[in-house]
Amino acid sequence: MPLHFASLIPIDSLFSTQGIMVMLLGAYALAMWLFLTSAPKVYTVMVSDLAIAKLFMKACWI
C-alpha cells in the first residue's frame, strides 16, 4: 500500500486550536520574510561633528 503525503497530517489535528496557531505562525513568518527581503536598505553613518555630517550629505547628493 503506497504512503501518501495527505495521510501524514490528520485533518482533525490540522484544524485544531494548536494546528491553526501553527499555521498562523507560519503565515506570519512568511509575511515578515517577504517584507524584510523587499524593504529598502537603510544605512547609518555616525560622525563626530555636525559640520562633517553636512559635508557628507552635500557630497552624497551631488
Side-chain angles (χ1 to χ4, degrees):
M1 185 165 114
L3 181 64
H4 296 287
F5 180 71
S7 64
L8 296 176
I9 302 174
I11 296 298
D12 56 344
S13 67
L14 187 64
F15 291 108
S16 66
T17 304
Q18 185 178 3
I20 291 173
M21 292 301 291
V22 168
M23 287 191 292
L24 285 173
L25 182 64
Y28 177 74
L30 178 64
M32 289 276 66
W33 176 261
L34 291 174
F35 171 73
L36 290 175
T37 55
S38 65
K41 304 297 181 273
V42 177
Y43 299 99
T44 303
V45 177
M46 295 181 68
V47 295
S48 59
D49 191 11
L50 185 59
I52 297 172
K54 288 180 181 179
L55 288 174
F56 179 77
M57 289 303 295
K58 287 181 182 177
C60 286
W61 290 106
I62 292 177

